[in-house]
Amino acid sequence: MNERDAKYWITKLGLEPHPEGGFYKSTYTSKQSVPVEREGNEDTIRNLYTSIYFLLRSEDISHFHRLQSDELWYYHGGSSLTIHIIDENGNYQERKLGLQIDNDEVPQVLVPRNTIFGSSVMEEDTFAIVGCMVSPGFDFEDFELFTQEELLKKYPQHEQIIRKMALKSK
């Protein structure tokens, strides 16, 4: 797949640049809402769930970030994708999202709430398109984007992946 293919999907699906990297479009927001616990705010309400299309080209990085909700990733097409995870205990792991089951890929991956994560495309000169559902629903108030400096202070043992996946420090 080439850049033209990614441009086709970006145009046809009306995708826009995402602050973490890549391109996205909100596809559904549940009309139901739920109360959620958020530090310092007992009355926070979120939609039950939200869903997006997300496209990442091989030259893009979905930089390390954290959500206060669970996020389910669903593979739709293109190249396989690696989801890089630093869990709440500071352990690093990679999950492969795709359809090559014999290569340890799976068609959906759960990223638990409060997990630091990002993603990258496994092959050069291609892209991946996925769906992401967040529950309770996504809100930019619950989104944290990390710099290398911030993460290296807390997780120096993961320096190599942090330098690849986190925003350059200011």
Side-chain angles (χ1 to χ4, degrees), residues 8-160:
Y8 170 85
W9 291 106
I10 290 166
T11 300
K12 290 294 186 183
L13 295 175
L15 306 180
E16 298 179 5
H18 196 291
E20 79 194 42
F23 300 84
Y24 81 109
K25 179 180 180 177
S26 176
T27 58
Y28 188 76
T29 300
S30 172
K31 292 173 183 31
Q32 294 177 295
S33 59
V34 293
V36 294
E37 292 182 23
R38 295 294 186 253
E39 195 172 307
N41 190 350
E42 297 175 13
D43 298 325
T44 302
I45 302 294
R46 294 288 180 260
N47 296 94
L48 183 59
Y49 69 94
T50 56
S51 187
I52 66 169
Y53 290 128
F54 183 67
L55 184 141
L56 195 64
R57 301 171 302 179
S58 53
E59 65 266 25
D60 299 325
I61 295 288
S62 167
H63 293 95
F64 272 140
H65 60 287
R66 177 169 50 202
L67 302 180
Q68 294 181 35
S69 297
D70 292 339
E71 183 168 19
L72 269 170
W73 288 55
Y74 301 94
Y75 177 80
H76 290 314
S79 179
S80 302
L81 188 65
T82 301
I83 301 173
H84 305 270
I85 296 169
I86 300 175
D87 68 24
E88 287 189 271
N89 296 318
N91 301 308
Y92 172 76
Q93 67 172 306
E94 293 181 357
R95 299 291 310 272
K96 296 178 183 178
L97 188 66
L99 297 179
Q100 298 176 38
I101 306 303
D102 292 336
N103 288 338
D104 297 323
E105 295 177 10
V106 292
Q108 76 180 40
V109 171
L110 171 66
V111 178
R113 67 187 292 255
N114 296 323
T115 298
I116 295 169
F117 68 104
S119 60
S120 59
V121 175
M122 295 169 63
E123 297 176 31
E124 289 187 27
D125 299 321
T126 187
F127 69 94
I129 186 163
V130 301
C132 299
M133 188 205 54
V134 176
S135 181
F138 180 84
D139 189 297
F140 273 105
E141 279 187 28
D142 303 333
F143 174 81
E144 297 175 83
L145 190 58
F146 295 99
T147 65
Q148 292 175 2
E149 182 179 19
E150 290 170 317
L151 292 178
L152 287 170
K153 284 180 186 175
K154 193 163 184 177
Y155 307 108
Q157 71 274 28
H158 304 308
E159 180 177 4
Q160 184 176 1

